[in-house]
Amino acid sequence: MKVEICCMKYELQKTDSQSKARAGKMTTDHGEILTPIFMPVGTAATVKAVHQRELVNDVKAQIILGNTYHLYLRPGLDILERAGGLHKFNGWSGPILTDSGGYQVFSLKDIRKISEEGVKFQSHIDGSRHLFTPENVMDTQRIIGADIIMAFDECAPYPCDYSYAKKSMEMTHRWLTRCIDRFDSTEGKYGYSQSLFPIVQGSVYKDLRIQSAEFIAEQNRDGNAIGGLAVGEPAEKMYETIDYVNDILPKDKPRYLMGVGTPENILEGIALGIDMFDCVMPTRNARNGMLFTTQGIINIRNEKWKDDFTPIDETLGGYASTFYSKAYLRHLVKCDEILAAQIASIHNLTFYLWLVGQAREHILAGDFFSWKNTMVKQTMQRL
Ligand code: PRF
C-alpha cells in the first residue's frame, strides 16, 4: 500500500479578538492561497463567461472550483487524463478544488437512487446510467487532478426529519472511511500532491452536527468542510450551526463552507471562523443582470440606470468599472449581448474577491468586527 505524503500546508496568521475570524495562508503545489478566500465556480472546466487571463489579472482569483459530476460526464475521464489533468486542459495554472458530485447528483432528485454502495443516477445530458461510489469518485478526482478533492457525501435535504438526518450522516461517515482508504492507497497522476477534505453533515440537529464535526476532526486531514447548509434553512440556523461546528474543527486547518453565499453570508461566515467559500451566486446572478457592488445590489435591467454614465462601481474600480458604465452595461443586457455576461461576471467576481481580501486586511489590522458590521449593511442594500 502506498501512502501519499501530503504537502498542502496551512498557516494560521492571525485570529481576530472580537470574533472568530482568521487570516491564514494555504500552500499547494499550484501556489499559495491567502485566506479567507472565495473560490469562483468553474463547473464545466470554465468559470462561465470569464477567461483565465481575466480571472488572474482582473478578478484576482487564487483558486477555482470544478465539479466531478459535470467533468465526468463531459468531457469525460479519458479526455481529461489524456490532456494531463484539468489544469492542462483549461489553462488555469493556480490551485483547483473539485466537489465530489455528492451534491450535484442529489439535486437530480427523480433520476437517482441512493444506497450504501453509492448513488445510481441518470445523466442530465443523455439519460445514460452511472454509479458513483466513494471509491470511484476518489479515482475520478485523481484523474481530474484537483489540488483539493472533496469526500463523497450526502447533503440531506431541508427540511429533513431527525431519523433521516442521522442515517444520512452515518452513511456519509462510512463513505468517508471508504474515501480515505481509497485516497490513501492511490497517488496523484501528474506529479503534484492532492489533499482530501472530509465534509461535516447532520442537517440542523445540534447533536448530529457535533458528532459529525468530532468524527471529521478525528480524521486529521489537511482541511475540513461544512456541507448541508444554505439549503433552505433560516440564516440564523446556519450561523448557529457553523459556530458550534467550528468550535470542534481543528484551528490549525482550513475550514471550507460549501456553496455559500451572499456577501452577508460570507462576512458572517468569516466572523465565525470560515476560511474558504464557493458559490455560483456572483456568476449566475451576473448573467441575470444582478450586480454586487461596494454600495449595494443593483438590478442593471432597471430603467433607472439607462442614462447613468458612472462606472459600475466607482469605489471598487477594477477592469469592468474602469472601462464600462452602468448605462452601457444595461444597454448590452437589454440587447442580449454576450459581452454583458462577461462584464457582469468579471465585475461580480472582482467584488467577491475584493470583499474577502478586505476582510483579510481588516483581520490583520485588528478592526474586522466593526468593518464587517458596516459592510453587511452597505453591501446588502438594494440600490
Ligand atoms: N456537499 C457537497 N457539496 C456541496 C454541499 C454539500 O453539502 C453544499 C451545501 N451547501 C454545496 N455544495 N459535496
Side-chain angles (χ1 to χ4, degrees), residues 99-100 102-104 151 153 155 199 201 227-231 258-260:
D99 198 357
S100 56
Y103 184 66
Q104 288 70 33
D153 61 328
C155 174
I199 306 172
Q201 290 288 348
L229 292 176
V231 288
M258 307 190 79
V260 174

Side-chain angles (χ1 to χ4, degrees), residues 2-31:
K2 205 150 195 174
V3 175
E4 165 128 339
I5 299 163
C6 85
C7 47
M8 196 201 89
K9 291 192 200 71
Y10 173 74
E11 181 198 336
L12 177 58
Q13 297 172 311
K14 173 136 189 203
T15 305
D16 186 39
S17 59
Q18 288 173 284
S19 73
K20 295 178 181 169
R22 301 129 54 89
K25 183 167 83 178
M26 293 166 66
T27 309
T28 72
D29 285 348
H30 283 96

Side-chain angles (χ1 to χ4, degrees), residues 226-350:
I226 307 177
L229 292 176
V231 288
E233 77 287 1
E236 280 315 315
K237 201 81 202 154
M238 172 167 83
Y239 299 145
E240 191 188 306
T241 307
I242 297 168
D243 200 16
Y244 52 70
V245 166
N246 273 352
D247 278 344
I248 298 167
L249 293 180
K251 294 192 171 22
D252 60 348
K253 317 240 165 152
R255 303 163 177 155
Y256 164 29
L257 178 60
M258 307 190 79
V260 174
T262 63
E264 175 173 14
N265 296 154
I266 288 176
L267 292 171
E268 296 300 349
I270 292 172
L272 293 166
I274 298 290
D275 307 297
M276 304 163 72
F277 301 85
D278 79 284
C279 193
V280 293
M281 193 174 280
T283 37
R284 181 175 292 164
N285 291 15
R287 299 194 299 279
N288 294 321
M290 180 173 170
L291 305 178
F292 295 97
T293 80
T294 57
Q295 311 305 312
I297 296 169
I298 290 178
N299 178 354
I300 201 68
R301 310 186 80 96
N302 200 310
E303 171 90 21
K304 76 192 264 196
W305 310 114
K306 80 168 185 222
D307 56 357
D308 187 327
F309 305 109
T310 63
I312 296 169
D313 185 340
E314 202 138 24
T315 311
L316 180 69
Y319 178 76
S321 290
T322 303
F323 291 97
Y324 306 110
S325 67
K326 297 183 188 74
Y328 179 62
L329 182 54
R330 177 176 186 275
H331 158 74
L332 294 178
V333 168
K334 288 296 214 186
C335 297
D336 267 335
E337 283 292 338
I338 291 171
L339 187 59
Q342 297 180 283
I343 294 173
S345 301
I346 293 173
H347 167 76
N348 276 354
L349 288 176
T350 304

